[in-house]
Amino acid sequence: MGANEDFYYRQFFQLKVYKISGDEFQRLFNQVMGYAHPGFQAITPWGNWGDGGNDGWIPDEGHYFQVYGPKPTTTDSETAALKKAIDDFDKLPKKWQDVRSYSFVMNDRFQCIPAPIASALQKLEKDKKLTKARGFPMAELMEFFMQLALDKRQDIIGGIPQADVTFIDPREVAERVFEKSASILMAVAS
């Protein structure tokens, strides 16, 4: 199936991203990153401690991820996302060590990271002297997904249906349609 198969995996992944938000979105991100980057560690909130602004990280790189998966019906999502990106970063140094880089993962539903968020992260990088601070769009997550082995892609989206219609003879289909049409016309005429 090859290139066709890749097309279907991309389509099913996009559909999954479009359908999910909140915790489901964070689970998808964690699953892809866990497979794509062996050093990645997902974090879950714990009691009053919470997650300290850390939804996942790569300890060896000091790279922290904050995941934001708003519902598509959220009207102030850009404003809320901008606030979350900065506020959650500010929590990191209070509870975590060696914060060198930061990615704000946003379910942008393949529309790209909004300019004000990218600009705020650029300023954050400079002000906090980080190696990098940036938005992490869904197009990038999909590329990580597409680089995974087939069994891991299937684990994430459940696989794609196998359908090969090359065995159908179009002349046979046309003949059956003609026969059915003729029998309907004869029934109507009588």
Side-chain angles (χ1 to χ4, degrees):
M1 211 154 141
N4 247 359
E5 187 174 80
D6 283 351
F7 170 80
Y8 286 115
Y9 274 106
R10 285 182 187 280
Q11 296 305 305
F12 277 86
F13 185 79
Q14 282 181 349
L15 179 61
K16 188 170 187 94
V17 167
Y18 281 118
K19 290 173 62 175
I20 62 175
S21 58
D23 290 342
E24 283 182 274
F25 175 67
Q26 186 170 338
R27 277 190 293 278
L28 173 67
F29 173 76
N30 288 342
Q31 193 175 20
V32 172
M33 287 301 288
Y35 281 146
H37 200 294
F40 177 81
Q41 292 179 13
I43 298 295
T44 190
W46 186 265
N48 291 335
W49 205 88
D51 62 13
N54 178 8
D55 288 329
W57 65 321
I58 303 170
D60 293 345
E61 298 174 12
H63 190 157
Y64 292 79
F65 297 86
Q66 181 50 238
V67 180
Y68 180 60
K71 291 182 178 181
T73 56
T74 303
T75 56
D76 64 340
S77 62
E78 187 176 303
T79 305
L82 181 56
K83 181 173 175 26
K84 183 166 181 57
I86 303 307
D87 289 354
D88 281 2
F89 176 82
D90 289 339
K91 295 176 190 175
L92 283 172
K94 294 174 185 168
K95 295 190 177 182
W96 298 93
Q97 305 297 310
D98 192 31
V99 179
R100 289 181 267 159
S101 59
Y102 175 68
S103 290
F104 183 69
V105 182
M106 180 178 174
N107 188 349
D108 61 7
R109 291 176 174 79
F110 299 95
Q111 300 299 308
C112 303
I113 300 295
I117 295 171
S119 177
L121 290 168
Q122 188 179 40
K123 183 178 182 336
L124 182 75
E125 179 181 310
K126 183 179 177 190
D127 292 350
K128 303 294 182 179
K129 297 176 177 46
L130 299 170
T131 306
K132 69 179 167 185
R134 64 189 191 84
F136 191 109
M138 288 305 89
E140 188 171 345
L141 188 64
M142 183 161 61
E143 289 311 310
F144 278 121
F145 169 76
M146 291 302 296
Q147 292 171 13
L148 297 175
L150 184 61
D151 65 322
K152 291 179 174 136
R153 282 195 254 168
Q154 288 175 345
D155 185 39
I156 292 169
I157 64 163
I160 58 173
Q162 298 295 319
D164 185 8
V165 293
T166 58
F167 65 88
I168 296 175
D169 183 351
R171 294 171 299 186
E172 188 70 25
V173 172
E175 189 175 315
R176 296 292 171 246
V177 169
F178 177 75
E179 287 173 2
K180 188 69 172 170
S181 298
S183 67
I184 292 171
L185 286 173
M186 287 171 54
V188 170
S190 38

